Amino acid sequence: MTTPTASSFVRHGDPAPRGRWLAVCWLACAPVGLPALAMAASDHVPDVIADRCPAPIVCPPTTCPDIAGPSVPTPSPNVDTASSTSRLAPGPRAPGWLLVTLLLALIAITMLPWRRGRKILTGERSPARSESRLLLLLAALAGLLGALATVLFREGMHGLEWLISGHSGSLVEISLALPPWQRLLLPALGGLVAGLILQELGQRLRGRGTTDYMESIAQGDGRISVRHSLVKALSSLVTVASGGSIGREGAMVQLAAMVGSLLGRIGRLPSDPRRLLVAAGAAAGLAAAYNAPLAATLFVAEIVLGSIAIEHIGPLVIAAVIASVTVHDLFGYAPAYRIPEFHLVSDWELGLYLALGWLAGHAAPVFLSLLERARHWFGRLPWPLAGRMALGGLIVGAISVYEPQVWGNGYSVVNTVLLAPWVWQALLTVLVLKMLATAATQGSGAIGGAFTPTLFVGALLGALFGTLVQTILPSGTAPPSAYAVVGMGAMLAGTTHAPLMSILMVFEMTLDYQIVLPLMLAVVTAHFTARRHAGVKPMYAESLLPRDSSV
């Protein structure tokens, strides 16, 4: 067998192979170079890095004489590399955003062919590639500014909670600290104020473009009204801070998408690249809200764009990564939900997770139908918007007098269910009342997301199913918290009809790989079961239909 030479990697008559040899050398050492760069901020280099590249890869001096230099000695197999490196003094730790920026710059420079590099240096660049580079640069900026917008909304919500109730933090804890009459009236007052903001300020403003980022991407030209978006964000801030049963992620993603649209207009991008920039901003907002950059990218690509082609998904990845790094530098990194250590007790237990997926696939259309009927019922009332939203808040307040756990998006309640078992009566009560409170809040016209409430319903449905399994089969099955985590993904897939995003979202929010196998089985089962209910539209269908297939 003949050994390939440098000429075998170069097309006939190509006088400039140096760029390709740089790429070959970079890719050959990438499995070692990337972990080494990632470990630059730590105090030692693990043994696996020294073992995976025992000998350096040197480019042939005949093909790249300008980078040939003194050979690097091969480490002896008798030398303990890890022990020798552990004696080195630890250096200063580089920030994460700097490492990410340097890594992306190295990849871009190394993979750039020399001929194309000369054209760029001499000013001979094609308009299409210049526009593509501008789009990627603006996507990175949208990730940074979109993350800061979500942080500003989150801090504003905490400040408003303190002004309203004198407390800040978990809305459930705030409701438990309030007397019953305040739990009754505070959501109603918040709904009234939020409705007046939309009714008085929103109707007086005139702006070009829509305020729905999904509609702007799927059907529009990427223009989002800044003034209307800010008014809706302010209304959502009041609703969430006063105890409305709705998610805060809706306003966060909307603000980040608005930033992307604004950058697209400042950069004077055409409609198609501007729509991609709006999608990148939405991915940044979702990644910042849930610490899930991969799932956020797939959410926008799978649900909104309907495409995972690299020319579409590239800006989304960059924006989601930059947004995640920004939030991690500000608040640190931790999974969104804390769960006990999970393991599959036995293989036959996969059949139980399949049954849970079937159950969630039938429960998801019921939840979506409840939300749709609530919107229809509130819309028929001959009241102004502020009156309808006040009524929705009053319904939430009346429910919270009996069960305070229905306040907010349910994040703290889900964490409690995952960490400590509940009796089945409490799970069933909170599950039913939370669905009614969410329907009252969203049906009345409140601005917010249904993503986190959907996770809430799935978690309690899974915990209820797991409690039943533990009662019938006390040995040989996982605890109810495992079924709660799987139920979150199954319910999300049943409502959004996006199984890949649902699997990755739950995995990134829990950071437990052992849950992936039963999660995949339950999610796919729930997806195909929910699709049998043809009369129920999936979540976000109103914003996406009719779909524009030109993206």
Side-chain angles (χ1 to χ4, degrees), residues 464-531:
L464 190 61
F465 181 85
T467 303
L468 177 63
V469 169
Q470 280 281 300
T471 303
I472 300 176
L473 302 170
S475 61
T477 56
S481 60
Y483 291 90
V485 174
V486 174
M488 292 166 64
M491 192 70 182
L492 192 59
T495 54
T496 62
H497 292 189
L500 292 179
M501 180 275 301
S502 303
I503 294 171
L504 288 174
M505 177 64 74
V506 174
F507 168 65
E508 285 192 289
M509 288 191 304
T510 58
L511 293 182
D512 191 343
Y513 184 76
Q514 300 298 323
I515 203 75
V516 169
L517 291 180
L519 178 64
M520 292 172 63
L521 185 63
V523 162
V524 172
T525 304
H527 169 68
F528 284 105
T529 303
R531 287 176 64 92

Side-chain angles (χ1 to χ4, degrees), residues 81-108:
T81 309
S83 61
S84 62
T85 56
S86 62
R87 292 193 294 268
L88 297 177
R93 295 176 179 266
W97 63 267
L98 180 59
L99 291 178
V100 171
T101 304
L102 290 177
L103 178 60
L104 293 176
L106 284 174
I107 295 176

Side-chain angles (χ1 to χ4, degrees), residues 403 405 413 416-418 420-427 430 460 463 467 480:
E403 183 52 74
Q405 309 280 353
V413 178
T416 305
V417 171
L418 294 178
W422 284 22
V423 296
W424 70 268
Q425 295 92 337
L427 290 171
V430 176
L460 266 68
T467 303

Side-chain angles (χ1 to χ4, degrees), residues 187-199 234-235 238-239 242 386 389-390:
L189 181 61
L192 178 63
V193 174
L196 289 174
I197 291 174
L198 292 176
Q199 184 176 305
L234 180 60
S235 175
V238 175
T239 300
S242 60
M389 292 180 63

Side-chain angles (χ1 to χ4, degrees), residues 197-218:
I197 291 174
L198 292 176
Q199 184 176 305
E200 300 300 326
L201 295 181
Q203 293 180 358
R204 293 181 181 180
L205 294 178
R206 293 183 179 180
R208 181 183 175 186
T210 180
T211 54
D212 190 340
Y213 76 93
M214 290 189 178
E215 181 182 348
S216 173
I217 298 169

Side-chain angles (χ1 to χ4, degrees), residues 9 13 41 53 80 88 92 110 184 252 302 375 394 400 460 513 523 532:
F9 292 93
C53 193
D80 188 359
L88 297 177
T110 307
L184 173 66
M252 290 182 173
E302 189 177 10
R375 284 192 291 266
L394 186 62
S400 66
L460 266 68
Y513 184 76
V523 162
R532 296 176 58 187

